[in-house]
Amino acid sequence: MNFKCIDDLRNHLLAKFAENVEDMALNIETEICPSDMTGDVTVNCFRFARFLKSNPMEVAKLVAEFLSEHEDIEKVEVLKAFVNLTLTPAALHRDSVAKINQLLATDLVSDEERKKIIVEFSAPNTNKPQHLGHVRNNTLGMSLASLLKRIGHDVIPINLVNDRGIHICKSMTAYRRYGNGITPELAGKKGDHLVGDFYVRYDKELKKEIKELRNSQPDLKDRSDDDLFSETSIGREAQQMLRDWEADDCEVRKLWEMMNSWVLEGFNKTYKRMGIEFENTYLESKTYLLGKDIIEEGLKKAVFVKREDGATIVDLGKKLGEKVVLRSDGTSVYITQDIGTTLKKYDDYRPDRQIWVVGDEQKYHFQVLFEILKKLGYEWARDLHHLAYGMVNLPSGKMKSREGTVVDADDLFDEMTALAKSATLERAGDNIPDDIDERAEIIGMGALKFMLLKFNPKTTIMFNPEESLKFEGDTGPYVQYACARISSILRRADVENKIAGNVDWTLLSSEFEKKLAVRAFQYPSVLKRA
């Protein structure tokens, strides 16, 4: 989609430089004219002059000469290689807002550009409920998947739930010790919250035992908590539970399945409230053994080597160093199962690209994963991407799951909804709508998502619930308010029969109307760029 004058310009330049440029290479886009300059749109000749094999300044002169004579142009201004254009109101609106179907087109990528893309996000652990950090992850993943799908890609949203390991066994150990048969129904709690309570209880009891150890054995005072983990009875119990789980012990597996089912049911309620759906949810308990056979193949190809202590390693050079892919006892590490899971996802879907939405503390892990897959000879490993994002902090400080100082996602949703309801009631006066609770939920969730998305994903952000719910400025409620006002205008326009087939676009000549038309015109390109 482009302005007619720009299409005419392109044809003019193609004819003039016929020997220098291929038809498909010349792409002329317009940008919004800077506020301190005169014009509606700008043509940046630096962007395409090289395709004409010509000096950008000279190209700008040619562009200005041609467009100065064009019937759609009121004024042309040249600044170095930038050509600022003032379009006639009729031409500007005819080529922008009048072409509503093109503005809202969903096939913005060509057949050659269209890809099948896996977006993996969320990836919670089944030992606790999701918290504010997960909410940022979920929001980024959902937004990325929606954007890619909106412009025409085939998008597959994937979740990989970590439902095994020592951290899961900690919650199980605490439940076996202190649970007394409690269930989510008996406790009146979501299952993920109940299991999270036992994870916090485990950490409390572990710290208590470590303190008693240090008090009774002064020679242990300089050893770290991690170092003393196996010296405690509750630590040894969790380790034994993990061994029993891996040995397929019937009672341990039964407890694990029961508690996992509670958590997964709780997760589904959280996802539903956020509006998130996954095409597939992989469970680490089903994938953690994957990858070992790939390591064996890699040993034969000399991609991996055996170290003196029996561990299998890969040398990734100075930048990434040496990485263990199998311990000396032959057991897997995280990178091993990630290699296997990545290959399984590729075999299941044959995607053109895979994207992981994971916190920036895992940058090194993904650099290693991608480099190993390249070394193994997988061509598609060049199209793997880690969308890293920063932490979310609160005015009260950082969150810690084990200490129970996190902001649970569901509690945050409730708080946002309550704040939105209070703000709505304040504005409603005596005219309280019947659907106030539904409105509060929509406003609260919109405020939360908008606030998490308005920042660059790479940045660590401070989230303030009250600030996010302001009804003015750069907030979700303000955008929703604007949407409501627009809907009201459209309803009245329809009722009063003011929408006509023949529009006189010359009447829309004010500066604000023209700026709005230019903004609307930019929508498809902004979507694609995002």
Side-chain angles (χ1 to χ4, degrees):
M1 181 176 177
N2 220 330
F3 292 109
K4 181 179 182 297
C5 60
I6 301 301
D7 286 336
D8 293 344
L9 170 65
R10 182 177 183 275
N11 292 332
H12 173 71
L13 293 176
L14 283 172
K16 192 170 185 65
F17 293 90
E19 296 180 1
N20 294 6
V21 64
E22 291 182 18
D23 191 333
M24 295 299 292
L26 185 59
N27 182 29
I28 304 174
E29 292 187 358
T30 56
E31 304 167 8
I32 295 175
C33 189
S35 58
D36 59 343
M37 296 182 185
T38 302
D40 299 316
V41 296
T42 296
V43 176
N44 181 351
C45 299
F46 282 114
R47 295 190 184 278
F48 63 88
R50 67 182 184 278
F51 295 110
L52 303 176
K53 299 177 183 175
S54 187
N55 183 291
M57 311 293 187
E58 293 300 319
V59 172
K61 290 180 183 178
L62 292 172
V63 169
E65 286 173 9
F66 177 79
L67 292 177
S68 294
E69 302 298 322
H70 199 284
E71 61 185 359
D72 290 347
I73 302 298
E74 284 186 352
K75 183 180 177 182
V76 175
E77 184 178 78
V78 181
L79 293 171
K80 296 184 179 180
F82 297 89
V83 183
N84 298 332
L85 307 174
T86 302
L87 284 78
T88 65
L92 175 57
H93 293 92
R94 177 200 68 208
D95 294 346
S96 58
V97 291
K99 296 183 177 180
I100 190 69
N101 290 333
Q102 290 186 50
L103 284 181
L104 299 179
T106 56
D107 55 346
L108 300 181
V109 291
S110 64
D111 290 341
E112 293 76 22
E113 294 175 302
R114 187 170 291 109
K115 305 292 183 186
K116 181 187 285 188
I117 304 171
I118 285 179
V119 179
E120 181 183 305
F121 63 101
S122 197
N125 299 337
T126 57
N127 62 331
K128 57 192 176 189
Q130 296 183 58
H131 54 63
L132 177 54
H134 291 105
V135 177
R136 188 179 196 191
N137 183 303
N138 293 340
T139 306
L140 286 169
M142 178 169 52
S143 173
L144 176 62
S146 297
L147 272 170
L148 292 169
K149 185 177 181 180
R150 170 63 179 77
I151 67 169
H153 292 298
D154 179 9
V155 182
I156 304 156
I158 292 293
N159 192 3
L160 174 62
V161 176
N162 186 346
D163 64 337
R164 60 163 290 279
I166 190 65
H167 49 296
I168 309 299
C169 290
K170 288 178 180 179
S171 293
M172 292 166 61
T173 298
Y175 181 84
R176 189 162 64 181
R177 281 192 174 198
Y178 315 111
N180 297 317
I182 192 71
T183 65
E185 290 74 23
L186 290 173
K189 279 190 171 186
K190 281 178 77 223
D192 50 340
H193 286 255
L194 180 63
V195 172
D197 289 344
F198 285 103
Y199 185 62
V200 173
R201 177 69 183 272
Y202 182 93
D203 187 64
K204 182 181 177 182
E205 296 297 331
L206 175 64
K207 285 181 175 176
K208 183 179 174 182
E209 283 198 40
I210 289 174
K211 184 178 180 181
E212 290 171 354
L213 269 176
R214 288 198 174 110
N215 289 339
S216 62
Q217 301 180 51
D219 58 315
L220 300 179
K221 69 176 183 178
D222 293 328
R223 291 174 63 181
S224 67
D225 287 3
D226 288 342
D227 201 23
L228 292 175
F229 180 75
S230 298
E231 302 292 327
T232 64
S233 64
I234 199 168
R236 289 192 296 271
E237 189 176 336
Q239 289 175 322
Q240 183 58 48
M241 183 173 280
L242 179 59
R243 287 190 288 269
D244 291 340
W245 184 92
E246 291 181 346
D248 213 14
D249 178 271
C250 182
E251 287 302 312
V252 169
R253 285 283 180 147
K254 186 176 178 181
L255 174 62
W256 171 75
E257 288 171 1
M258 178 181 72
M259 294 180 71
N260 257 6
S261 69
W262 293 345
V263 176
L264 293 174
E265 185 179 350
F267 284 173
N268 287 336
K269 291 177 181 176
T270 302
Y271 290 135
K272 185 176 181 181
R273 198 166 177 184
M274 285 199 76
I276 292 173
E277 292 182 359
F278 297 101
E279 180 145 332
N280 196 353
T281 295
Y282 292 94
L283 299 175
E284 195 175 298
S285 58
K286 302 285 181 65
T287 65
Y288 81 104
L289 294 176
L290 297 175
K292 293 180 73 172
D293 55 338
I294 301 171
I295 303 302
E296 293 301 322
E297 287 295 316
L299 275 168
K300 295 175 184 176
K301 297 177 182 177
V303 173
F304 308 116
V305 295
K306 288 275 189 180
R307 205 165 57 186
E308 288 182 8
D309 62 358
T312 303
I313 63 165
V314 59
D315 185 355
L316 299 174
K318 290 183 179 179
K319 185 179 178 182
L320 298 176
E322 183 182 282
K323 182 69 179 177
V324 173
V325 292
L326 281 181
R327 299 186 185 93
S328 55
D329 60 3
T331 55
S332 299
V333 293
Y334 269 117
I335 200 73
T336 319
Q337 61 197 44
D338 271 1
I339 291 169
T341 305
T342 304
L343 197 62
K344 176 168 177 54
K345 289 192 297 179
Y346 181 80
D347 289 340
D348 286 347
Y349 292 101
R350 297 287 164 171
D352 300 299
R353 197 175 189 201
Q354 294 191 49
I355 302 172
W356 286 258
V357 181
V358 179
D360 55 14
E361 71 275 7
Q362 294 295 326
K363 277 184 180 178
Y364 173 74
H365 175 84
F366 282 100
Q367 288 173 344
V368 169
L369 174 64
F370 300 162
E371 193 59 33
I372 289 175
L373 289 166
K374 288 175 188 173
K375 277 183 167 291
L376 287 167
Y378 297 113
E379 289 292 323
W380 45 264
R382 294 173 298 181
D383 297 304
L384 306 178
H385 179 68
H386 172 207
L387 175 62
Y389 64 90
M391 292 178 62
V392 188
N393 294 327
L394 295 161
S396 57
K398 293 183 179 180
M399 301 182 294
K400 296 179 182 178
S401 296
R402 288 178 297 179
E403 296 177 12
T405 60
V406 300
V407 175
D408 290 335
D410 302 300
D411 294 341
L412 177 62
F413 298 164
D414 289 342
E415 181 186 357
M416 294 298 294
T417 301
L419 288 170
K421 184 174 182 178
S422 176
T424 305
L425 288 171
E426 186 180 321
R427 284 163 176 76
D430 296 330
N431 301 315
I432 300 173
D434 295 333
D435 59 349
I436 181 65
D437 291 331
E438 182 182 354
R439 293 188 189 206
E441 176 82 4
I442 292 169
I443 293 170
M445 293 301 288
L448 173 61
K449 292 175 184 177
F450 189 96
M451 185 61 76
L452 293 174
L453 288 172
K454 67 184 276 188
F455 298 100
N456 187 316
K458 295 177 183 177
T459 60
T460 293
I461 65 175
M462 181 74 70
F463 177 74
N464 188 319
E466 287 80 8
E467 286 291 316
S468 72
L469 275 161
K470 286 185 176 179
F471 279 73
E472 58 279 327
D474 195 11
T475 67
Y478 182 80
V479 173
Q480 291 172 329
Y481 174 70
C483 182
R485 290 294 301 272
I486 291 167
S487 296
S488 175
I489 291 169
L490 289 174
R491 282 196 303 273
R492 283 187 293 165
D494 189 48
V495 169
E496 296 170 14
N497 197 27
K498 292 289 180 65
I499 296 177
N502 297 317
V503 179
D504 184 359
W505 295 112
T506 61
L507 298 175
L508 297 180
S509 57
S510 81
E511 175 190 353
F512 300 107
E513 289 163 341
K514 293 184 77 179
K515 282 186 175 180
L516 184 58
V518 171
R519 284 285 182 186
F521 176 81
Q522 296 288 326
Y523 181 61
S525 62
V526 169
L527 262 180
K528 193 172 179 181
R529 190 161 66 249

